Amino acid sequence: MAEIGAARSEAERTLEAAIVQVEAWAGRRMSYHPVSGGISNTNFRVVVDGEPHAYFVKIPGRGTEMFIDRKAARAASLQAETMAVGPRTFDYLDHLDIEVSEFLGDRRPSTHRDCIDRAFRAGVVQIYRRFHEAPPLPLTKTVFDMIDEHYAQVEELGGHWPADHAWLYRQYQEARAALEASGLDLVPCFNDPMPGNFLVGADNSIKLIDFEYASNNERLYDLAIWSGEHFFPESVEQEIIEDYFGHYDKSLHARFIVHKALADIKWSTWAMVQNRMSTLDFDFYKYGIWKHMRARSIIHDPRWPLFLKAL
């Protein structure tokens, strides 16, 4: 743990300058340590003498204001806290757009191995259902809004386009038209199912963290992007649909698969924005190219036209 005054990086200097402004911590000894795993921001565990728990403090990454609405993220975090889906949050540094929450030291980040267990997957499905059933969030941002936003940003920044960008864009437009024609089912969505955003307790209970990308969005997108993140086979996707809706339906599965392709297009394009803007030590170009490849693999499936018709 580093003490105040020991900062060596820009993020650490920003952290120190911020936490000394917290009135509730004034005059107390504070120390901090980086928390690994994030690819948007720099995160820290902060220990304050006399406090019963540590704090999780998030320093926004360079350029993230281009696609993260911090006030909307704060509202989503508060809603999750109220529902006991997320950790306790604090408004200490809201004026700096710096997120502060309770560090859940008695929980561990989930891994892909956890999701091999059907009981664990069922628990995740239930926590998704709870979040989806909450009142609407102040921000409505569909996957279409996200893709359009990132396309414009890549264009503005002179970022990388794949050689078949025009083809991918046409596939996106066709999928969007089919989904919009069928009607959108908008609910509060988490939108960011990296394994580390699911914290597991000793009793196998689950809490969500990191609501920066949360918004009102298409219900099945939230489940589809989770499946894509964990490489679930279609047999597991069938179980997820059955667990969530109480029955399996082929048209729901078609919608699910279309959203998986859109999720990869969204995050591949996001990665090309980050490749131009971020200062984090992460290979965003490689990540984006890989996401582009997986989107193609879904769209090239001979069943793709049938999926679009089934919507």
Coordinates of all heavy atoms in Angstrom, one line a residue, residues 185-265:
D185 N -37.6 -4.2 -26.8 CA -38.0 -4.4 -25.5 C -36.9 -3.8 -24.5 O -36.0 -4.4 -24.1 CB -38.0 -6.0 -25.3 CG -38.4 -6.4 -23.9 OD1 -39.0 -5.5 -23.1 OD2 -38.2 -7.5 -23.5
L186 N -37.2 -2.5 -24.2 CA -36.2 -1.7 -23.5 C -36.4 -1.9 -22.0 O -37.5 -1.6 -21.5 CB -36.2 -0.3 -23.9 CG -36.0 0.1 -25.4 CD1 -36.1 1.6 -25.6 CD2 -34.6 -0.5 -25.8
V187 N -35.3 -2.2 -21.3 CA -35.3 -2.3 -19.8 C -33.9 -1.8 -19.3 O -33.0 -1.7 -20.1 CB -35.5 -3.8 -19.4 CG1 -36.9 -4.3 -19.8 CG2 -34.4 -4.7 -19.9
P188 N -33.8 -1.6 -18.0 CA -32.4 -1.3 -17.5 C -31.5 -2.4 -17.8 O -31.8 -3.6 -17.4 CB -32.7 -1.1 -16.0 CG -34.1 -0.8 -15.9 CD -34.8 -1.5 -17.0
C189 N -30.4 -2.1 -18.4 CA -29.4 -3.2 -18.8 C -28.0 -2.9 -18.2 O -27.6 -1.7 -18.1 CB -29.3 -3.3 -20.3 SG -30.7 -4.2 -21.1
F190 N -27.3 -3.9 -17.9 CA -25.9 -3.8 -17.3 C -24.9 -3.5 -18.4 O -24.1 -2.6 -18.3 CB -25.6 -5.1 -16.6 CG -24.3 -5.1 -15.9 CD1 -24.0 -4.0 -15.1 CD2 -23.5 -6.2 -15.9 CE1 -22.8 -4.1 -14.3 CE2 -22.3 -6.3 -15.2 CZ -22.0 -5.2 -14.4
N191 N -25.0 -4.2 -19.5 CA -24.2 -3.9 -20.8 C -22.7 -4.2 -20.7 O -22.0 -3.9 -21.7 CB -24.4 -2.5 -21.2 CG -25.9 -2.1 -21.6 OD1 -26.5 -3.0 -22.1 ND2 -26.3 -0.9 -21.4
D192 N -22.2 -4.7 -19.6 CA -20.8 -4.9 -19.5 C -20.4 -6.1 -18.6 O -20.0 -6.0 -17.5 CB -20.1 -3.6 -18.9 CG -18.6 -3.7 -18.9 OD1 -18.0 -4.5 -19.7 OD2 -18.0 -2.9 -18.2
P193 N -20.6 -7.3 -19.2 CA -20.5 -8.6 -18.4 C -19.1 -9.2 -18.3 O -19.0 -10.4 -18.4 CB -21.5 -9.5 -19.1 CG -21.3 -9.1 -20.5 CD -21.1 -7.6 -20.6
M194 N -18.1 -8.4 -18.2 CA -16.7 -9.0 -18.0 C -16.8 -9.8 -16.7 O -17.5 -9.4 -15.8 CB -15.7 -7.9 -17.9 CG -15.4 -7.2 -19.2 SD -14.0 -6.0 -19.0 CE -12.6 -7.1 -18.6
P195 N -16.1 -10.9 -16.7 CA -16.2 -11.8 -15.5 C -15.9 -11.0 -14.2 O -16.5 -11.3 -13.2 CB -15.1 -12.9 -15.8 CG -15.0 -12.9 -17.2 CD -15.3 -11.5 -17.7
G196 N -14.9 -10.1 -14.2 CA -14.6 -9.3 -13.0 C -15.7 -8.4 -12.5 O -15.5 -7.9 -11.4
N197 N -16.7 -8.2 -13.3 CA -17.8 -7.4 -12.8 C -18.9 -8.1 -12.1 O -19.9 -7.6 -11.7 CB -18.5 -6.7 -14.0 CG -17.6 -5.6 -14.6 OD1 -16.6 -5.1 -13.9 ND2 -17.8 -5.2 -15.8
F198 N -18.7 -9.4 -11.9 CA -19.6 -10.3 -11.1 C -18.7 -10.7 -9.8 O -17.8 -11.4 -10.0 CB -20.0 -11.5 -11.8 CG -20.8 -11.2 -13.1 CD1 -20.2 -11.0 -14.3 CD2 -22.2 -11.1 -13.0 CE1 -20.9 -10.8 -15.4 CE2 -22.9 -10.8 -14.2 CZ -22.3 -10.7 -15.4
L199 N -19.1 -10.2 -8.7 CA -18.4 -10.6 -7.5 C -19.1 -11.7 -6.7 O -20.3 -11.5 -6.4 CB -18.2 -9.3 -6.6 CG -17.3 -8.2 -7.2 CD1 -17.0 -7.2 -6.1 CD2 -16.0 -8.7 -7.7
V200 N -18.4 -12.7 -6.3 CA -19.0 -13.9 -5.8 C -18.7 -14.0 -4.3 O -17.5 -13.9 -3.9 CB -18.5 -15.2 -6.5 CG1 -19.2 -16.4 -6.0 CG2 -18.6 -15.0 -8.0
G201 N -19.7 -14.2 -3.4 CA -19.5 -14.4 -2.0 C -19.3 -15.8 -1.6 O -19.4 -16.8 -2.5
A202 N -18.9 -16.1 -0.4 CA -18.7 -17.4 0.1 C -19.9 -18.3 0.0 O -19.8 -19.5 -0.1 CB -18.2 -17.4 1.6
D203 N -21.1 -17.7 0.0 CA -22.3 -18.4 -0.2 C -22.8 -18.5 -1.6 O -23.9 -18.9 -1.9 CB -23.4 -17.7 0.7 CG -23.7 -16.3 0.2 OD1 -22.9 -15.7 -0.6 OD2 -24.6 -15.6 0.7
N204 N -21.9 -18.1 -2.5 CA -22.1 -18.1 -4.0 C -23.1 -17.1 -4.4 O -23.5 -17.1 -5.6 CB -22.5 -19.5 -4.5 CG -21.4 -20.5 -4.5 OD1 -20.3 -20.1 -4.7 ND2 -21.7 -21.8 -4.2
S205 N -23.5 -16.1 -3.5 CA -24.3 -15.0 -4.0 C -23.5 -14.1 -4.9 O -22.2 -14.1 -4.8 CB -24.8 -14.2 -2.8 OG -23.7 -13.7 -2.0
I206 N -24.2 -13.3 -5.7 CA -23.5 -12.5 -6.7 C -23.9 -11.1 -6.6 O -25.1 -10.7 -6.3 CB -23.9 -13.0 -8.1 CG1 -23.5 -14.5 -8.3 CG2 -23.2 -12.2 -9.2 CD1 -24.2 -15.1 -9.5
K207 N -22.9 -10.2 -6.7 CA -23.2 -8.7 -6.8 C -22.5 -8.2 -8.1 O -21.5 -8.7 -8.5 CB -22.7 -8.0 -5.6 CG -23.6 -8.1 -4.3 CD -23.2 -7.1 -3.3 CE -24.0 -7.2 -2.0 NZ -25.4 -6.7 -2.2
L208 N -23.2 -7.2 -8.7 CA -22.6 -6.6 -9.8 C -21.8 -5.3 -9.4 O -22.2 -4.6 -8.5 CB -23.8 -6.2 -10.8 CG -24.7 -7.3 -11.3 CD1 -25.8 -6.6 -12.2 CD2 -23.9 -8.3 -12.1
I209 N -20.8 -5.1 -10.2 CA -20.0 -3.8 -10.0 C -19.8 -3.2 -11.4 O -19.8 -3.9 -12.4 CB -18.7 -4.0 -9.3 CG1 -17.8 -5.0 -10.0 CG2 -18.9 -4.5 -7.8 CD1 -16.3 -5.0 -9.5
D210 N -19.6 -1.9 -11.4 CA -19.2 -1.2 -12.6 C -20.4 -1.0 -13.5 O -20.7 -1.8 -14.4 CB -18.1 -1.9 -13.3 CG -17.4 -1.0 -14.4 OD1 -18.0 0.2 -14.6 OD2 -16.4 -1.3 -15.0
F211 N -21.1 0.1 -13.3 CA -22.3 0.4 -14.0 C -22.1 1.5 -15.0 O -23.1 2.2 -15.4 CB -23.5 0.8 -13.1 CG -23.9 -0.4 -12.2 CD1 -23.2 -0.7 -11.0 CD2 -24.9 -1.3 -12.6 CE1 -23.6 -1.8 -10.3 CE2 -25.2 -2.4 -11.9 CZ -24.6 -2.6 -10.7
E212 N -20.9 1.7 -15.5 CA -20.6 2.8 -16.4 C -21.3 2.7 -17.7 O -21.6 3.7 -18.3 CB -19.1 2.9 -16.7 CG -18.2 3.4 -15.5 CD -16.8 3.5 -15.8 OE1 -16.3 2.7 -16.6 OE2 -16.2 4.4 -15.3
Y213 N -21.5 1.5 -18.2 CA -22.2 1.3 -19.5 C -23.6 1.0 -19.4 O -24.3 0.7 -20.4 CB -21.4 0.2 -20.3 CG -20.0 0.6 -20.6 CD1 -19.0 0.1 -19.8 CD2 -19.7 1.4 -21.7 CE1 -17.6 0.5 -20.1 CE2 -18.4 1.7 -22.0 CZ -17.4 1.3 -21.2 OH -16.1 1.6 -21.5
A214 N -24.2 1.0 -18.1 CA -25.6 0.7 -17.9 C -26.5 1.7 -18.6 O -26.2 2.9 -18.6 CB -25.9 0.6 -16.4
S215 N -27.6 1.2 -19.1 CA -28.6 2.1 -19.8 C -29.8 1.3 -20.0 O -29.8 0.1 -19.9 CB -28.0 2.6 -21.1 OG -27.9 1.6 -22.0
N216 N -30.9 2.0 -20.4 CA -32.1 1.3 -20.9 C -31.7 0.8 -22.3 O -31.3 1.6 -23.2 CB -33.3 2.2 -21.0 CG -33.6 2.8 -19.6 OD1 -33.7 2.1 -18.6 ND2 -33.9 4.1 -19.6
N217 N -31.8 -0.5 -22.5 CA -31.4 -1.1 -23.8 C -32.3 -2.4 -24.0 O -33.1 -2.7 -23.2 CB -29.9 -1.5 -23.7 CG -29.3 -1.9 -25.0 OD1 -29.8 -1.7 -26.0 ND2 -28.0 -2.4 -24.9
E218 N -32.0 -3.0 -25.1 CA -32.8 -4.2 -25.4 C -32.5 -5.4 -24.4 O -31.3 -5.7 -24.2 CB -32.5 -4.7 -26.8 CG -33.0 -6.0 -27.3 CD -34.4 -5.9 -27.8 OE1 -34.9 -4.8 -28.1 OE2 -35.0 -7.0 -28.1
R219 N -33.5 -5.9 -23.9 CA -33.4 -7.0 -22.8 C -32.4 -8.1 -23.2 O -31.5 -8.5 -22.5 CB -34.8 -7.5 -22.5 CG -34.8 -8.6 -21.4 CD -36.1 -9.2 -21.3 NE -37.2 -8.3 -21.1 CZ -37.7 -7.8 -20.0 NH1 -37.2 -8.2 -18.9 NH2 -38.7 -7.0 -20.0
L220 N -32.7 -8.7 -24.4 CA -31.9 -9.8 -24.8 C -30.4 -9.5 -25.2 O -29.6 -10.3 -25.1 CB -32.5 -10.5 -26.0 CG -33.6 -11.6 -25.6 CD1 -34.3 -12.1 -26.9 CD2 -32.9 -12.8 -24.9
Y221 N -30.2 -8.2 -25.4 CA -28.8 -7.8 -25.7 C -28.0 -8.1 -24.4 O -26.8 -8.6 -24.5 CB -28.7 -6.3 -26.0 CG -27.3 -5.8 -26.1 CD1 -26.6 -5.9 -27.3 CD2 -26.6 -5.2 -25.0 CE1 -25.2 -5.5 -27.4 CE2 -25.3 -4.7 -25.1 CZ -24.6 -4.9 -26.3 OH -23.3 -4.4 -26.4
D222 N -28.5 -7.8 -23.2 CA -27.8 -8.0 -22.0 C -27.4 -9.5 -21.8 O -26.3 -9.8 -21.4 CB -28.6 -7.5 -20.8 CG -27.9 -6.7 -19.8 OD1 -26.7 -6.3 -20.1 OD2 -28.5 -6.3 -18.8
L223 N -28.3 -10.4 -22.1 CA -28.0 -11.8 -22.0 C -27.0 -12.3 -23.1 O -26.2 -13.1 -22.9 CB -29.3 -12.6 -22.1 CG -30.3 -12.3 -21.0 CD1 -31.6 -13.1 -21.2 CD2 -29.7 -12.7 -19.6
A224 N -27.2 -11.7 -24.3 CA -26.4 -12.1 -25.5 C -25.0 -11.7 -25.3 O -24.0 -12.5 -25.6 CB -27.0 -11.5 -26.7
I225 N -24.7 -10.5 -24.8 CA -23.3 -10.1 -24.6 C -22.7 -10.8 -23.5 O -21.5 -11.1 -23.6 CB -23.3 -8.5 -24.4 CG1 -21.8 -8.0 -24.4 CG2 -23.9 -8.2 -23.1 CD1 -21.7 -6.5 -24.3
W226 N -23.4 -11.3 -22.5 CA -22.9 -12.1 -21.4 C -22.5 -13.5 -22.0 O -21.4 -14.0 -21.8 CB -23.9 -12.3 -20.4 CG -23.6 -13.3 -19.3 CD1 -22.4 -13.4 -18.6 CD2 -24.4 -14.4 -18.8 NE1 -22.5 -14.4 -17.7 CE2 -23.7 -15.0 -17.8 CE3 -25.7 -14.8 -19.1 CZ2 -24.2 -16.1 -17.1 CZ3 -26.2 -15.9 -18.4 CH2 -25.5 -16.5 -17.4
S227 N -23.3 -14.0 -22.9 CA -23.0 -15.3 -23.6 C -21.7 -15.1 -24.4 O -20.8 -16.0 -24.4 CB -24.1 -15.7 -24.4 OG -23.8 -16.9 -25.2
G228 N -21.6 -14.1 -25.2 CA -20.5 -13.8 -26.0 C -19.2 -13.7 -25.2 O -18.1 -14.2 -25.6
E229 N -19.3 -13.0 -24.1 CA -18.1 -12.8 -23.2 C -17.6 -14.1 -22.6 O -16.4 -14.3 -22.4 CB -18.5 -11.9 -22.1 CG -17.3 -11.5 -21.2 CD -16.3 -10.6 -21.9 OE1 -16.7 -9.8 -22.7 OE2 -15.1 -10.8 -21.6
H230 N -18.5 -15.1 -22.4 CA -18.1 -16.4 -21.8 C -18.1 -17.5 -22.8 O -17.9 -18.7 -22.4 CB -19.1 -16.7 -20.7 CG -18.9 -15.8 -19.5 ND1 -19.4 -14.5 -19.4 CD2 -18.2 -15.9 -18.3 CE1 -19.0 -13.9 -18.3 NE2 -18.3 -14.8 -17.6
F231 N -18.3 -17.2 -24.1 CA -18.1 -18.3 -25.1 C -19.1 -19.4 -24.9 O -18.7 -20.6 -25.1 CB -16.7 -18.8 -25.2 CG -15.7 -17.7 -25.4 CD1 -15.1 -17.0 -24.4 CD2 -15.4 -17.3 -26.7 CE1 -14.2 -16.0 -24.6 CE2 -14.4 -16.3 -26.9 CZ -13.8 -15.7 -25.9
F232 N -20.3 -19.1 -24.5 CA -21.3 -20.2 -24.3 C -21.7 -20.9 -25.6 O -22.0 -20.2 -26.6 CB -22.6 -19.7 -23.6 CG -22.4 -19.2 -22.2 CD1 -23.1 -18.1 -21.7 CD2 -21.4 -19.8 -21.4 CE1 -22.9 -17.7 -20.4 CE2 -21.2 -19.3 -20.1 CZ -22.0 -18.3 -19.6
P233 N -21.8 -22.2 -25.7 CA -22.4 -22.8 -26.8 C -23.9 -22.6 -26.9 O -24.5 -22.2 -25.9 CB -22.0 -24.3 -26.6 CG -22.0 -24.5 -25.1 CD -21.4 -23.2 -24.6
E234 N -24.5 -22.9 -28.0 CA -25.9 -22.7 -28.2 C -26.7 -23.5 -27.2 O -27.8 -23.1 -26.8 CB -26.3 -23.0 -29.7 CG -25.8 -21.9 -30.6 CD -26.4 -22.0 -32.0 OE1 -27.4 -22.7 -32.2 OE2 -25.8 -21.5 -33.0
S235 N -26.3 -24.7 -26.8 CA -27.0 -25.5 -25.8 C -27.1 -24.7 -24.5 O -28.2 -24.8 -23.9 CB -26.3 -26.8 -25.6 OG -25.0 -26.6 -25.2
V236 N -26.1 -24.0 -24.1 CA -26.1 -23.2 -22.9 C -27.0 -22.0 -23.1 O -27.8 -21.6 -22.2 CB -24.7 -22.8 -22.4 CG1 -24.8 -21.8 -21.3 CG2 -24.0 -24.0 -22.0
E237 N -27.0 -21.4 -24.3 CA -27.9 -20.3 -24.5 C -29.3 -20.7 -24.4 O -30.2 -19.9 -23.9 CB -27.6 -19.7 -25.9 CG -26.2 -19.1 -26.0 CD -25.8 -18.7 -27.4 OE1 -26.6 -19.0 -28.4 OE2 -24.8 -18.0 -27.6
Q238 N -29.6 -21.9 -24.9 CA -31.0 -22.4 -24.7 C -31.4 -22.5 -23.3 O -32.5 -22.1 -22.9 CB -31.1 -23.8 -25.4 CG -31.0 -23.7 -26.9 CD -31.0 -25.1 -27.5 OE1 -31.3 -26.1 -26.9 NE2 -30.6 -25.2 -28.8
E239 N -30.5 -23.0 -22.4 CA -30.8 -23.0 -21.0 C -31.0 -21.6 -20.4 O -31.9 -21.4 -19.6 CB -29.6 -23.7 -20.3 CG -29.4 -25.2 -20.6 CD -28.1 -25.7 -20.0 OE1 -27.4 -24.9 -19.3 OE2 -27.8 -26.9 -20.2
I240 N -30.2 -20.7 -20.8 CA -30.3 -19.3 -20.3 C -31.7 -18.7 -20.7 O -32.3 -18.1 -19.8 CB -29.2 -18.4 -20.9 CG1 -27.8 -18.8 -20.3 CG2 -29.5 -16.9 -20.7 CD1 -26.6 -18.2 -21.0
I241 N -32.1 -18.9 -21.9 CA -33.4 -18.4 -22.3 C -34.5 -19.1 -21.5 O -35.5 -18.4 -21.1 CB -33.6 -18.7 -23.9 CG1 -32.6 -17.8 -24.6 CG2 -35.0 -18.4 -24.3 CD1 -32.5 -18.1 -26.1
E242 N -34.4 -20.4 -21.3 CA -35.4 -21.1 -20.6 C -35.4 -20.6 -19.1 O -36.5 -20.4 -18.5 CB -35.1 -22.6 -20.6 CG -36.2 -23.4 -19.9 CD -36.0 -24.9 -20.1 OE1 -35.1 -25.3 -20.8 OE2 -36.8 -25.7 -19.5
D243 N -34.2 -20.5 -18.5 CA -34.2 -20.0 -17.1 C -34.7 -18.6 -17.0 O -35.4 -18.3 -16.0 CB -32.7 -20.0 -16.6 CG -32.2 -21.4 -16.4 OD1 -33.0 -22.3 -16.3 OD2 -31.0 -21.6 -16.2
Y244 N -34.5 -17.7 -18.0 CA -34.9 -16.3 -17.9 C -36.4 -16.2 -18.1 O -37.1 -15.5 -17.4 CB -34.1 -15.5 -18.8 CG -34.4 -14.0 -18.7 CD1 -33.5 -13.2 -17.9 CD2 -35.4 -13.4 -19.3 CE1 -33.7 -11.8 -17.8 CE2 -35.7 -12.0 -19.2 CZ -34.8 -11.3 -18.4 OH -35.1 -9.9 -18.3
F245 N -36.9 -16.8 -19.2 CA -38.3 -16.6 -19.6 C -39.2 -17.7 -19.1 O -40.4 -17.5 -19.3 CB -38.4 -16.5 -21.2 CG -37.7 -15.3 -21.7 CD1 -36.4 -15.4 -22.3 CD2 -38.3 -14.1 -21.8 CE1 -35.8 -14.3 -22.8 CE2 -37.7 -12.9 -22.3 CZ -36.4 -13.0 -22.8
G246 N -38.7 -18.8 -18.6 CA -39.5 -19.9 -18.2 C -39.8 -20.9 -19.3 O -40.5 -21.9 -19.0
H247 N -39.4 -20.6 -20.5 CA -39.6 -21.5 -21.6 C -38.6 -21.2 -22.7 O -38.0 -20.0 -22.7 CB -41.0 -21.4 -22.2 CG -41.3 -20.1 -22.9 ND1 -41.5 -18.9 -22.1 CD2 -41.3 -19.7 -24.2 CE1 -41.7 -17.9 -23.0 NE2 -41.5 -18.4 -24.2
Y248 N -38.3 -22.1 -23.5 CA -37.4 -21.9 -24.7 C -38.2 -21.5 -25.9 O -39.2 -22.1 -26.2 CB -36.5 -23.1 -24.9 CG -35.7 -22.9 -26.2 CD1 -34.6 -22.0 -26.2 CD2 -36.0 -23.6 -27.4 CE1 -33.8 -21.9 -27.3 CE2 -35.2 -23.4 -28.5 CZ -34.1 -22.5 -28.5 OH -33.4 -22.3 -29.6
D249 N -37.7 -20.6 -26.7 CA -38.4 -20.2 -27.9 C -37.3 -19.9 -29.0 O -36.4 -19.2 -28.7 CB -39.2 -18.9 -27.6 CG -40.0 -18.5 -28.8 OD1 -39.4 -17.8 -29.7 OD2 -41.2 -18.8 -28.9
K250 N -37.5 -20.5 -30.2 CA -36.5 -20.3 -31.2 C -36.4 -18.9 -31.7 O -35.3 -18.4 -32.0 CB -36.9 -21.2 -32.4 CG -36.6 -22.7 -32.2 CD -36.9 -23.5 -33.4 CE -36.6 -25.0 -33.2 NZ -36.9 -25.8 -34.4
S251 N -37.5 -18.1 -31.7 CA -37.4 -16.8 -32.2 C -36.6 -15.9 -31.1 O -35.9 -15.0 -31.5 CB -38.8 -16.2 -32.4 OG -39.5 -16.1 -31.2
L252 N -36.8 -16.2 -29.9 CA -36.0 -15.5 -28.8 C -34.5 -15.9 -29.0 O -33.6 -15.0 -28.9 CB -36.4 -15.9 -27.4 CG -37.8 -15.4 -27.0 CD1 -38.1 -16.0 -25.6 CD2 -37.8 -13.9 -26.9
H253 N -34.2 -17.1 -29.4 CA -32.8 -17.5 -29.6 C -32.2 -16.8 -30.8 O -31.1 -16.4 -30.8 CB -32.7 -19.0 -29.7 CG -31.3 -19.5 -29.4 ND1 -31.0 -20.8 -29.4 CD2 -30.1 -18.9 -29.2 CE1 -29.7 -21.0 -29.1 NE2 -29.2 -19.8 -29.0
A254 N -33.0 -16.7 -31.9 CA -32.6 -15.9 -33.0 C -32.2 -14.5 -32.7 O -31.2 -14.0 -33.1 CB -33.6 -16.0 -34.1
R255 N -33.1 -13.9 -31.9 CA -32.8 -12.5 -31.5 C -31.5 -12.4 -30.6 O -30.7 -11.5 -30.7 CB -34.0 -12.0 -30.7 CG -34.1 -10.5 -30.5 CD -35.4 -10.2 -29.8 NE -35.7 -8.7 -29.8 CZ -36.4 -8.1 -30.7 NH1 -37.0 -8.8 -31.7 NH2 -36.6 -6.8 -30.7
F256 N -31.4 -13.4 -29.8 CA -30.2 -13.5 -28.9 C -28.9 -13.6 -29.8 O -28.0 -12.8 -29.5 CB -30.4 -14.8 -28.1 CG -29.4 -15.1 -27.0 CD1 -29.9 -15.1 -25.7 CD2 -28.1 -15.4 -27.2 CE1 -29.1 -15.3 -24.6 CE2 -27.2 -15.7 -26.2 CZ -27.7 -15.6 -24.9
I257 N -28.9 -14.4 -30.8 CA -27.7 -14.6 -31.6 C -27.4 -13.3 -32.5 O -26.3 -12.9 -32.6 CB -27.9 -15.8 -32.6 CG1 -27.9 -17.1 -31.7 CG2 -26.8 -15.8 -33.6 CD1 -28.2 -18.3 -32.4
V258 N -28.5 -12.6 -33.0 CA -28.3 -11.4 -33.7 C -27.6 -10.3 -32.8 O -26.7 -9.6 -33.2 CB -29.6 -10.9 -34.3 CG1 -29.4 -9.4 -34.8 CG2 -30.1 -11.8 -35.4
H259 N -28.1 -10.3 -31.5 CA -27.5 -9.4 -30.6 C -26.1 -9.7 -30.2 O -25.2 -8.8 -29.9 CB -28.3 -9.3 -29.3 CG -29.5 -8.3 -29.4 ND1 -29.3 -7.0 -29.6 CD2 -30.8 -8.5 -29.2 CE1 -30.4 -6.4 -29.6 NE2 -31.4 -7.2 -29.4
K260 N -25.7 -11.0 -30.3 CA -24.3 -11.3 -30.1 C -23.4 -10.7 -31.1 O -22.3 -10.2 -30.8 CB -24.1 -12.9 -30.1 CG -24.5 -13.5 -28.8 CD -23.8 -14.9 -28.6 CE -23.9 -15.8 -29.8 NZ -23.2 -17.1 -29.5
A261 N -23.9 -10.8 -32.4 CA -23.1 -10.1 -33.5 C -23.0 -8.6 -33.3 O -21.9 -8.0 -33.4 CB -23.7 -10.5 -34.8
L262 N -24.1 -8.0 -32.9 CA -24.1 -6.6 -32.7 C -23.2 -6.2 -31.5 O -22.5 -5.1 -31.6 CB -25.5 -6.1 -32.4 CG -26.5 -6.1 -33.6 CD1 -27.9 -5.6 -33.2 CD2 -26.0 -5.4 -34.8
A263 N -23.2 -7.0 -30.5 CA -22.3 -6.7 -29.3 C -20.8 -6.7 -29.8 O -20.0 -5.9 -29.4 CB -22.5 -7.7 -28.2
D264 N -20.4 -7.7 -30.6 CA -19.1 -7.7 -31.1 C -18.7 -6.5 -32.0 O -17.6 -6.0 -32.0 CB -18.8 -9.0 -31.8 CG -18.6 -10.2 -30.9 OD1 -18.2 -10.0 -29.7 OD2 -18.8 -11.4 -31.3
I265 N -19.7 -6.1 -32.8 CA -19.5 -4.9 -33.6 C -19.3 -3.7 -32.7 O -18.4 -2.8 -32.9 CB -20.6 -4.7 -34.6 CG1 -20.6 -5.8 -35.7 CG2 -20.5 -3.3 -35.3 CD1 -21.8 -5.8 -36.6

